[in-house]
Amino acid sequence: MTELVVQDLTVQVKDATLVDAASFSLSPGEFVVLLGPNGAGKTSLIRASLGLERTAQGNATLGGEITTQLSPIERARRVAYLPQIRPLAWPNFVRDVVALGRFSHGAAIGRLNADDAAAVDRALAACDLTHLAHRRADTLSGGELARMHCARAFAAEAPLLVADEPIAALDPRHQFRILDMITDYVKSGGGALVVLHDIQLAARYATRLIWMKQGQIVSDGSPTNTLTSQQLNSIYGIRAKVDGLRIDMEGPV
Amino acid sequence: MRSNHWLNPGLLLASVVAIFAACLLGSTSLPADRVLAAFFGGADAGDRLVVWAIRLPRALAAFLVGAALGISGAALQGLLRNPLAEPGVLGVSATASLAATFSLYYGLVALGPWILPVFAILGALSATALLALAAIRTRSVVTLVLIGVGLSSFSGALMSLMMNLAPNPFSLSDMISWMLGSVANRSFQEIIFVVPFLIAGTAILLVTGRGLSALTLGEEAASGVGLNLRNQRIFTVLGAGLATGASVALAGAIGFVGIVAPHIIRPFVGHDPARSLVPSALLAGLFLVVADIGVRLIPTDIEMKLGVVAALIGAPVFVWIAMQRRSVND
């Protein structure tokens, strides 16, 4: 079983400590949401966990092997990484962009073998993109683009998925659709670590919440156990009433 | 969607036809049957000389130079994710011809026929390496193009300095030839000395082309799908440096070819940088063969330089592409 295990991970840039001795794990079947205010170190934690950022201390393992020692191909086969969405350099066809998810399997997007083509078709179908497969990416709406990037990550068919703010700047319906897709992926045996800013959606979808503040993981547990008004107060500095998984935000402290 | 199957064969066929036409046309045009006879060792000695010693090597040189610049341009555009990247614009050609001129100026070429190509390639590699280093430090492609402009100007200044101090009018005219770019009077021997570098550079670019497709996603996501960024940079720089250096060794600095060809090709290959490599090479080769036929046929007292003609066509296209760009990802 491929598991991401992070132990005592510290990231330092010059004098600033971006991530401070963070430890957590991610297993298949889990939908973990990473929460925290801007600048809490969420992206740094993700990147360092995947071996994309230099760590000052601690380590992260994927399926038992230290991530910084994995080749990019080996890493990509274990975990599909969806960074914050950036514009594409070229106006490629949607299907070709999704096919890039098969890169770690040796696929070249001009000529996919049968396995790669089947995986791409499954990913397109899962993200409801089949009818857009032959459209150019620069003609898509923001919601369609977000689905395309999700499909690209799913096409890898890796056991784990790490997504950094996949629903930023999407309308509510698309936010639900993307999180539903990730839920389907988790139900089919994948493990997902997702950075979100919407606490309400996080509570609704996550099996576990990891709360970060000033580079430290301050809380890690189920939404029912960790979602409290004190937590929101200390992490985000907001006043809020919490009733079960329902949140009523009132304003800044 | 599907890459056009006729694209590469069609361009190859057109290139062969153009090279053949280049053997027919000239100050005294030869009919097709006499050229064919000369190809296969028949015909009279004069025809064979014109075809084998003058026109065919010249046309082949134009094709190879174009192909090298076309594939280098397409690869650099894929690496830097910008349609304005090209060996000429980025100062790679200028640095290569500076190095080549340096070896001419100091008489180093007398040491052996490999000296000039090696110098041109070292010049090209140092420029591409510098650009790749800068590309790691800055995310702005505008900055990179500006660095290229700086490299070009600096190489140009050093060239001017050497011309300024040139000991005699012969070395002066030699240097001007290098700066302007030409394939006139090339022999098969000169071609043979640069072909190994050209093949090596092209092969590196083709083998590592797949990674250029992944870079469409941006560097972060590309490494996420499994691309080794460091190796991709090294190999693209090495391949483009070898190919551009080889082309400069053969023809001097010819600019803008590497920008025009990939720009035309891209829509036909779904804007995939990897699939644009081969057709860009073929189209750029075809373009230079045809442009060189034009150079030979236009009745001017002094023959126009190929590089001048290429820039006359290419520079306006460069400006046009730059103006078309929406400021999306700079």
Side-chain angles (χ1 to χ4, degrees):
Chain A
M1 185 165 81
T2 306
E3 210 181 0
L4 173 65
V5 180
V6 174
Q7 278 172 328
D8 203 22
L9 203 67
T10 299
V11 179
Q12 280 174 326
V13 176
K14 290 175 188 158
D15 292 338
T17 303
L18 303 183
V19 178
D20 189 1
S23 301
F24 72 93
S25 70
L26 171 70
S27 306
E30 285 190 300
F31 191 146
V32 180
V33 171
L34 182 55
L35 288 167
N38 296 330
K42 303 183 295 292
T43 300
S44 297
L45 174 60
I46 286 181
R47 298 191 77 240
S49 305
L50 296 176
L52 295 171
E53 200 153 316
R54 196 187 299 257
T55 54
Q57 200 185 307
N59 65 53
T61 57
L62 261 173
E65 287 182 66
I66 294 177
T67 49
T68 47
Q69 289 169 8
L70 289 171
S71 74
I73 295 257
E74 285 170 328
R75 186 205 325 122
R77 287 193 178 190
R78 293 170 198 210
V79 52
Y81 172 43
L82 199 55
Q84 290 179 26
I85 290 171
R86 297 266 175 267
L88 292 175
W90 312 105
N92 299 100
F93 292 106
V94 171
R95 194 170 198 279
D96 285 351
V97 176
V98 175
L100 287 175
R102 300 298 293 174
F103 188 85
S104 60
H105 296 262
I109 64 181
R111 38 193 164 78
L112 297 178
N113 67 29
D115 284 352
D116 293 327
V120 169
D121 289 337
R122 278 193 295 275
L124 285 167
C127 297
D128 193 18
L129 285 168
T130 308
H131 62 293
L132 296 176
H134 301 290
R135 280 265 293 275
R136 274 170 46 161
D138 61 342
T139 66
L140 301 185
S141 71
E144 288 163 343
L145 276 175
R147 268 151 61 203
M148 177 183 78
H149 285 287
C150 278
R152 200 252 297 153
F154 290 148
E157 302 193 330
L160 297 176
L161 169 74
V162 172
D164 199 350
E165 296 192 34
I167 62 169
L170 295 185
D171 62 49
R173 184 177 134 79
H174 262 103
Q175 298 191 349
F176 281 119
R177 288 183 76 177
I178 299 281
L179 293 175
D180 284 339
M181 286 171 203
I182 297 175
T183 303
D184 289 342
Y185 164 79
V186 170
K187 281 185 181 147
S188 67
L193 174 67
V194 181
V195 175
L196 292 182
H197 274 303
D198 189 315
I199 308 160
Q200 187 72 72
L201 284 174
R204 178 190 286 263
Y205 279 93
T207 57
R208 228 173 82 217
L209 298 177
I210 296 177
W211 302 78
M212 260 191 112
K213 186 187 177 185
Q214 289 168 0
Q216 291 181 321
I217 293 179
V218 284
S219 175
D220 180 346
S222 69
T224 32
N225 288 338
T226 61
L227 178 61
T228 61
S229 51
Q230 297 94 302
Q231 188 86 279
L232 295 177
N233 186 320
S234 82
I235 297 273
Y236 290 101
I238 55 171
R239 285 179 289 115
K241 288 201 186 83
V242 177
D243 176 19
L245 295 182
R246 198 173 283 277
I247 305 162
D248 184 12
M249 292 185 217
E250 291 163 342
V253 172
Chain B
M1 178 70 205
R2 194 156 293 134
S3 63
N4 290 289
H5 293 300
W6 50 263
L7 191 62
N8 288 336
L11 285 170
L12 189 61
L13 183 70
S15 302
V16 171
V17 169
I19 291 171
F20 184 70
C23 295
L24 303 181
L25 302 166
S27 48
T28 52
S29 49
L30 292 173
D33 57 325
R34 275 169 67 188
V35 170
L36 277 176
F39 270 145
F40 298 107
D44 62 68
D47 286 0
R48 282 211 302 276
L49 187 72
V50 166
V51 170
W52 281 100
I54 301 173
R55 291 186 185 170
L56 185 59
R58 179 172 181 159
L60 272 181
F63 180 77
L64 292 174
V65 166
L69 293 172
I71 198 167
S72 300
L76 288 172
Q77 287 164 25
L79 182 73
L80 303 176
R81 283 161 287 146
N82 189 293
L84 298 178
E86 192 255 347
V89 172
L90 293 176
V92 180
S93 304
T95 314
S97 52
L98 172 69
T101 318
F102 180 85
S103 73
L104 274 175
Y105 186 81
Y106 284 101
L108 300 172
V109 280
L111 298 175
W114 296 97
I115 295 294
L116 189 106
V118 165
F119 263 78
I121 284 157
L122 287 179
L125 283 177
S126 58
T128 31
L130 186 72
L131 287 163
L133 276 179
I136 297 171
R137 296 173 62 90
T138 173
R139 302 215 163 259
S140 159
V141 179
V142 176
T143 309
L144 269 189
V145 173
L146 289 176
I147 291 173
V149 171
L151 267 181
S152 271
S153 308
F154 187 62
S155 303
L158 289 179
M159 286 277 257
S160 306
L161 180 67
M162 279 202 268
M163 280 161 59
N164 202 187
L165 305 174
N168 59 55
F170 294 108
S171 50
L172 191 62
S173 84
D174 247 8
M175 286 183 209
I176 290 176
S177 274
W178 278 99
M179 278 178 87
L180 300 183
S182 167
V183 286
N185 308 320
R186 292 299 176 271
S187 69
F188 274 114
Q189 208 199 345
E190 283 166 294
I191 293 178
I192 284 165
F193 278 115
V194 302
V195 156
F197 299 106
L198 219 157
I199 290 176
T202 307
I204 290 172
L205 292 179
L206 289 178
V207 168
T208 59
R210 196 170 72 94
L212 298 177
S213 308
L215 274 172
T216 300
L217 299 170
E219 295 191 346
E220 181 82 355
S223 62
V225 298
L227 178 70
N228 188 325
L229 277 178
R230 198 178 56 101
N231 289 356
Q232 185 67 43
R233 281 201 195 100
I234 291 172
F235 286 126
T236 306
V237 161
L238 188 64
L242 283 171
T244 305
S247 86
V248 170
L250 198 51
I254 294 180
F256 298 104
V257 188
I259 238 172
V260 178
H263 187 74
I264 295 171
I265 290 298
R266 234 177 265 118
F268 294 98
V269 294
H271 294 267
D272 174 14
R275 275 179 291 173
S276 74
L277 293 177
V278 173
S280 295
L282 292 173
L283 182 64
L286 173 65
F287 172 72
L288 276 198
V289 173
V290 173
D292 192 52
I293 293 175
V295 163
R296 291 192 291 134
L297 291 186
I298 294 169
T300 44
D301 286 342
I302 300 169
E303 192 179 276
M304 287 201 296
K305 297 291 184 196
L306 181 58
V308 175
V309 175
L312 281 176
I313 302 170
V317 177
F318 172 84
V319 173
W320 185 72
I321 297 171
M323 287 176 70
Q324 294 267 308
R325 269 172 78 68
R326 290 164 292 170
S327 54
V328 213
N329 46 0
D330 299 333

